[in-house]
Amino acid sequence: RDNSAACCRQSRCRHSALPPPSRGQQRHQWSWWTLCSPRTTARRLRFFFSNMRVPAALIAAAAIKDAFALESPPADVQKSPSWTVLRNAYLLLQMVAFTSELSVVVFSTSAIGKLTLMATTMDMKAPSLTALLNRDLEYEFIGVQCDFLSGILCFILASALRVRFALRKDHIFSNLAMWLVIYRATILLTYSNAYMMVDGGFTEMLRRRATTQLLLLGHKIRAGPGALLSVFALLYASYALVRIVSARIAQVRRDNEGESLPSWVLRQCS
């Protein structure tokens, strides 16, 4: 048993000039990742990003393929406000899933390129691979994990809405199928919160994602029009969301009171 442990330590340190730590000695302040060559560590990091890029591409293809599946509804639901909201929500969720998974592909490709070009110049001293990613590739590391999970959740929720729409003639069975699909999404979220590589779960990862994005926009706001357009798009999307919610609330109040709707509310609800 002692001989096998010693052989394992020697195999892990075969790329290092340092001798393997003997039994009884104080543990080294860095993990065994530090004792590997920079190329070996970079190869392991590239493997992590490659594992995220391939399934993200598959989910993005499935999302964009089915995004417009409900844009030609049957005659019985064309003028229904509730089914119109469901179809619009389905399209929005599919497009969010598509763009999120596409971001995973872009970030993973960028991280793999950085690791390939800077494999021998990066400082590989870190307690673990996660610590190394948080230090040198934080934007890509957080962006890949957050967008990948967000895209999957949006894709599953869109599938739940599509099941509800497809089985609408059987009210009880359609609700059963929709909530079973939503249940799978919640189980996936619970698993991710329990075993995610980011401490704090999905909410902490969303906070770090927002923080890194704001830092990037603040740093590049004067470097070119890209960051400025991103800020404008975010502000306008927030303004449109407030208008839509206000229109829906006004519509409900007017329906309850039996009054006519203002023109701007009719435009938002159409």
Side-chain angles (χ1 to χ4, degrees):
R1 184 176 180 180
D2 295 339
N3 292 334
S4 62
C7 293
C8 181
R9 289 195 300 269
Q10 290 177 1
S11 63
R12 290 177 177 177
C13 303
R14 63 182 182 274
H15 297 289
S16 174
L18 299 176
S22 60
R23 187 176 179 180
Q25 289 182 348
Q26 185 178 2
R27 187 180 299 274
H28 196 267
Q29 61 177 345
W30 303 109
S31 69
W32 66 273
W33 295 100
T34 310
L35 303 180
C36 296
S37 68
R39 293 184 181 275
T40 303
T41 305
R43 185 170 62 249
R44 297 180 185 274
L45 295 177
R46 290 196 299 268
F47 182 73
F48 164 77
F49 286 107
S50 297
N51 281 345
M52 303 292 288
R53 182 173 59 174
V54 175
L58 297 176
I59 297 172
I64 195 61
K65 175 179 176 295
D66 298 332
F68 302 95
L70 304 183
E71 289 305 298
S72 299
D76 59 331
V77 297
Q78 284 183 356
K79 297 182 179 180
S80 174
S82 58
W83 289 114
T84 301
V85 172
L86 184 143
R87 292 189 294 110
N88 293 339
Y90 170 81
L91 176 60
L92 178 61
L93 288 172
Q94 289 283 31
M95 295 308 298
V96 171
F98 169 71
T99 54
S100 298
E101 300 301 335
L102 198 62
S103 298
V104 174
V105 175
V106 173
F107 294 154
S108 299
T109 305
S110 175
I112 291 173
K114 290 180 181 179
L115 292 169
T116 303
L117 297 176
M118 299 185 299
T120 58
T121 58
M122 289 181 62
D123 183 13
M124 297 299 177
K125 288 185 178 181
S128 63
L129 282 181
T130 304
L132 180 60
L133 289 170
N134 284 320
R135 187 191 66 197
D136 295 335
L137 295 169
E138 182 183 12
Y139 189 88
E140 292 83 358
F141 178 55
I142 298 298
V144 162
Q145 291 192 98
C146 183
D147 290 353
F148 183 75
L149 183 57
S150 300
I152 290 180
L153 292 177
C154 289
F155 184 76
I156 296 177
L157 293 177
S159 301
L161 296 181
R162 187 172 182 179
V163 168
R164 177 70 176 88
F165 183 83
L167 303 175
R168 63 188 178 278
K169 294 183 179 180
D170 191 338
H171 181 72
I172 297 178
F173 188 74
S174 63
N175 280 317
L176 171 64
M178 180 184 69
W179 284 106
L180 282 177
V181 176
I182 294 176
Y183 161 76
R184 299 305 304 172
T186 56
I187 287 296
L188 177 62
L189 183 60
T190 303
Y191 174 83
S192 300
N193 286 330
Y195 299 103
M196 192 175 294
M197 287 185 288
V198 177
D199 296 334
F202 186 62
T203 55
E204 175 64 18
M205 187 169 61
L206 286 176
R207 186 195 67 80
R208 292 184 61 182
R209 180 77 170 107
T211 302
T212 52
Q213 281 189 336
L214 291 177
L215 290 176
L216 177 65
L217 293 176
H219 182 66
K220 299 295 185 180
I221 193 68
R222 297 181 180 180
L228 188 61
L229 290 176
S230 299
V231 173
F232 174 78
L234 179 61
L235 293 177
Y236 188 81
S238 303
Y239 168 75
L241 179 62
V242 172
R243 292 274 295 182
I244 292 173
V245 173
S246 302
R248 297 299 175 185
I249 294 175
Q251 183 183 20
V252 172
R253 290 180 178 177
R254 296 287 182 175
D255 290 342
N256 293 333
E257 297 174 1
E259 301 177 4
S260 60
L261 294 173
S263 59
W264 70 273
V265 175
L266 292 175
R267 289 195 302 268
Q268 292 292 333
C269 296
S270 60

